[in-house]
């Protein structure tokens, strides 16, 4: 078992995510979810040799950074108190934690610095007494991931994970301790959307503050790597099932069309907000419609003394009103890390920086802005359209528009909603 060299870094979604700092206790997960995102992506998975994180390294880094010694882009983001996402690649509470207790040590260190952290897990171990003693009064926000599927099938899809009933008990306990909880309904299995109401009712009764929701993505190797029960649900041929629903291939995944996803998610958002719970659209192209200003988790509403990485496309668009134009030069008005980011990106995301007169991050953003880094140019996101205009540097100009999804259910695209339990102080 070797040390996990890349236990901390930036997520691949840094170009449109306000919380791109990843922190992992282990390089792989010991749950056996049948859709396992990690095992269907290159470079990670259940078959990788187990590596463990280094709490001492984290402690040394935080100590150094808050003494003013900054040596990397990661350090810059930490110095700005951008929240860590603990469990960005692998669940921090799978079985190995009982023995190695790396997550427990991370949580102690983060509490020492009152550092903001979003914990993502499918486990209820976080409410075991030794963990609860640490996280009480910590600067923490807990996000439980739950598959939206016929409840009778959940145990077969989320193999090895606690049932919803146990997660609900854990959520109530965290609420009692003053710790905000999010239910992340991910993935939503197509054809099982109607069960969302059942899961939402459990969330409401468990005093959950926020719901985020995202449909299942179908990787190109899904027919081989999806589990047996999930393949049965998807007609024993997940890829063909997705194609039949109009899915298009994006990179290594098939994504359901927005015409399928948007009406369903908009209705979920309306019902969730009607119960006084904030809502996040976790599908990337719908991020602009999420409550809060920190991507789908709305963590800016629930964490204290934290800042967010706003030098990204979604954050820029959220600051604009309908009809306002988005210029690349708008990024120059905000904070941008000055040190290199390329070492924190995987090989498929890295760029050859040709303009040494500006920070590397701006070069990365510029490549994304003009569509050279896959699909994630500004007009990929619902509510942003490209114009025929160009700025003085020849870069395209975009405009924030009335969104089709917002019009569909009369949703507002504002950052927060007045009738939620946060505003009411509950």
């Amino acid at each position: 078992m070797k040390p996990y060299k890349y236990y901390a870094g930036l997520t691949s979604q840094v170009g449109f995510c306000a919380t791109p700092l990843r922190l992992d206790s282990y390089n792989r997960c010991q749950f056996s979810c049948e859709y396992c995102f990690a095992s269907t992506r290159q470079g990670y998975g259940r078959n990788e040799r187990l590596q463990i994180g280094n709490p001492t390294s984290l402690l040394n880094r935080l100590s150094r950074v808050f003494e003013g010694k900054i040596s990397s882009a990661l350090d810059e983001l930490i110095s700005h108190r951008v929240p860590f996402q603990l469990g960005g690649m692998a669940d921090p509470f799978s079985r190995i934690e009982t023995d190695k207790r790396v997550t427990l040590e991370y949580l102690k260190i983060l509490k020492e610095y009152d550092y903001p952290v979003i914990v993502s897990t499918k486990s209820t171990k976080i409410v075991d007494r030794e963990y609860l003693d640490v996280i009480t009064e910590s600067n923490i926000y807990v996000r439980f991931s739950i598959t939206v599927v016929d409840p009778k099938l959940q145990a077969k899809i989320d193999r090895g994970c606690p049932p919803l009933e146990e997660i609900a008990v854990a959520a109530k306990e965290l609420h009692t301790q003053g710790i905000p909880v999010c239910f992340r309904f991910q993935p939503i299995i197509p054809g099982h959307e109607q069960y969302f109401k059942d899961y939402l009712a459990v969330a409401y009764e468990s005093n959950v503050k926020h719901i985020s929701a995202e449909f299942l993505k179908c990787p190109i190797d899904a027919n081989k790597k999806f589990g047996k029960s999930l393949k049965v649900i998807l007609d024993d041929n997940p890829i063909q099932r997705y194609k039949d629903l109009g899915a298009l291939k994006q990179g290594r995944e098939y994504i359901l069309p927005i015409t399928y996803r948007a009406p369903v998610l908009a209705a979920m958002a309306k019902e969730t907000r009607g119960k006084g719970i904030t809502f996040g659209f976790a599908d990337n192209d719908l991020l602009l419609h999420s409550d809060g200003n920190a991507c789908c988790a709305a963590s800016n509403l629930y964490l204290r003394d934290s800042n967010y990485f706003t030098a990204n496309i979604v954050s820029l668009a959220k600051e604009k009103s309908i009809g306002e134009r988005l210029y690349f030069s708008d990024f120059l008005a905000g904070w941008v890390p000055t040190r290199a980011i390329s070492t924190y990106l995987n090989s498929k995301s890295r760029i050859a920086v040709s303009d040494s007169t500006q920070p590397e991050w701006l070069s990365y953003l510029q490549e994304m802005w003009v569509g050279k880094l896959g699909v994630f140019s500004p007009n990929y996101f619902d509510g942003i359209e490209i114009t025929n205009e160009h700025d003085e540097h020849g870069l395209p100009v975009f405009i924030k528009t009335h969104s089709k999804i917002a019009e569909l259910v009369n949703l507002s695209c504002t950052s927060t909603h007045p009738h939620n339990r946060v505003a009411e102080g509950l």
Side-chain angles (χ1 to χ4, degrees):
M1 196 178 302
K2 62 180 182 178
Y4 188 11
K5 181 178 180 180
Y6 301 107
Y7 72 91
L10 301 180
T11 72
S12 61
Q13 298 182 335
V14 63
F16 48 87
C17 181
T19 54
L21 279 188
R22 175 187 62 80
L23 178 65
D24 280 288
S25 306
Y26 312 99
N27 70 317
R28 63 182 176 89
C29 176
Q30 294 175 305
F31 292 128
S32 301
C33 302
E34 293 210 329
Y35 54 82
C36 182
F37 299 124
S39 69
T40 55
R41 284 173 168 80
Q42 294 172 322
Y44 296 94
R46 299 190 190 102
N47 298 325
E48 287 289 305
R49 181 181 176 186
L50 180 62
Q51 301 173 31
I52 63 173
N54 188 338
T56 300
S57 177
L58 175 64
L59 177 61
N60 290 341
R61 182 183 291 272
L62 291 179
S63 176
R64 173 173 52 78
V65 167
F66 290 112
E67 288 175 357
K69 300 173 184 177
I70 309 297
S71 60
S72 67
L74 181 62
D75 290 349
E76 290 184 84
L77 289 163
I78 291 172
S79 71
H80 278 73
R81 296 184 63 83
V82 173
F84 272 118
Q85 292 201 48
L86 176 54
M89 280 303 303
D91 198 300
F93 289 103
S94 55
R95 292 190 306 276
I96 189 67
E97 173 64 14
T98 301
D99 178 36
K100 298 301 180 183
R101 299 159 68 85
V102 172
T103 300
L104 181 63
E105 294 307 309
Y106 279 169
L107 291 171
K108 289 177 181 178
I109 293 166
L110 293 168
K111 183 175 185 177
E112 179 181 344
Y113 285 86
D114 195 41
Y115 198 90
V117 59
I118 306 161
V119 176
S120 295
T121 184
K122 281 177 169 274
S123 171
T124 59
K125 190 174 181 63
I126 196 167
V127 296
D128 287 358
R129 178 47 56 188
E130 60 181 338
Y131 292 89
L132 201 58
D133 287 344
V134 172
I135 65 174
T136 299
E137 299 183 358
S138 291
N139 196 359
I140 191 170
Y141 177 36
V142 178
R143 180 168 55 184
F144 291 109
S145 294
I146 302 162
T147 302
V148 174
V149 67
D150 182 340
K152 294 191 295 291
L153 300 174
Q154 189 182 37
K156 294 181 179 180
I157 303 301
D158 291 338
R159 290 187 300 169
C161 302
L164 179 61
E165 295 78 11
E166 292 182 15
I167 292 175
V169 171
K172 291 176 183 177
E173 176 62 28
L174 292 170
H175 173 74
T176 299
Q177 300 298 324
I179 298 170
V181 174
C182 165
F183 275 7
R184 186 178 189 179
F185 291 142
Q186 178 194 31
I188 302 166
I189 309 299
H192 290 249
E193 299 89 343
Q194 68 269 29
Y195 297 107
F196 172 82
K197 291 185 177 182
D198 299 329
Y199 290 84
L200 178 60
V202 173
Y204 181 78
E205 293 299 322
S206 304
N207 297 296
V208 166
K209 300 289 188 183
H210 183 76
I211 297 291
S212 62
E214 179 180 0
F215 270 94
L216 176 71
K217 294 179 175 64
C218 186
I220 58 175
D221 50 6
N223 285 359
K224 177 181 178 181
K225 291 200 171 182
F226 275 177
K228 179 179 178 181
S229 297
L230 182 55
K231 283 194 282 191
V232 168
I233 291 173
L234 298 173
D235 302 333
D236 287 318
N237 191 331
I239 293 175
Q240 188 58 52
R241 172 64 174 151
Y242 264 56
K243 287 181 177 179
D244 290 344
L245 291 172
L248 297 176
K249 186 170 173 285
Q250 291 182 10
R252 299 188 72 254
E253 297 171 322
Y254 287 93
I255 310 295
L256 292 169
I258 194 169
T259 51
Y260 182 102
R261 292 178 286 114
V264 177
L265 291 167
M268 290 178 178
K270 189 172 184 178
E271 188 163 355
T272 299
R273 290 164 174 164
K275 289 184 175 294
I277 303 173
T278 52
F279 187 86
F281 291 82
D283 280 298
N284 294 332
D285 53 352
L286 299 175
L287 282 171
L288 263 66
H289 310 303
S290 299
D291 292 335
N293 289 319
C295 303
C296 62
S299 52
N300 67 299
L301 300 177
Y302 304 107
L303 289 170
R304 63 178 181 272
D305 190 20
S306 57
N307 294 306
Y308 294 84
F309 183 60
T310 58
N312 66 79
I313 292 170
V314 170
S315 292
L316 173 61
K318 273 183 166 283
E319 294 177 352
K320 300 290 185 176
S321 300
I322 301 298
E324 279 195 89
R325 280 163 168 69
L326 285 71
Y327 299 92
F328 185 79
S329 60
D330 291 336
F331 289 118
L332 301 178
W335 176 77
V336 176
T338 59
R339 291 165 176 79
I341 65 159
S342 54
T343 54
Y344 298 104
L345 300 174
N346 67 44
S347 58
K348 293 184 179 298
S349 300
R350 291 177 188 163
I351 58 172
V353 177
S354 57
D355 185 356
S356 60
T357 64
Q358 65 180 0
E360 187 183 77
W361 176 243
L362 286 179
S363 296
Y364 180 90
L365 270 179
Q366 187 169 313
E367 296 285 284
M368 185 176 290
W369 192 266
V370 298
K372 291 184 179 180
L373 294 178
V375 300
F376 299 115
S377 58
N379 56 320
Y380 166 80
F381 301 95
D382 184 57
I384 305 176
E385 294 181 4
I386 194 167
T387 71
N388 293 323
E389 304 170 31
H390 291 78
D391 66 15
E392 64 272 24
H393 301 292
L395 298 174
V397 176
F398 298 86
I399 188 170
K400 189 168 182 179
T401 65
H402 284 287
S403 159
K404 294 178 182 177
I405 181 176
E407 293 173 354
L408 186 66
V409 290
N410 194 29
L411 288 177
S412 167
C413 293
T414 54
S415 297
T416 57
H417 290 258
H419 302 298
N420 61 58
R421 287 191 275 185
V422 176
E424 294 168 1
L426 300 179

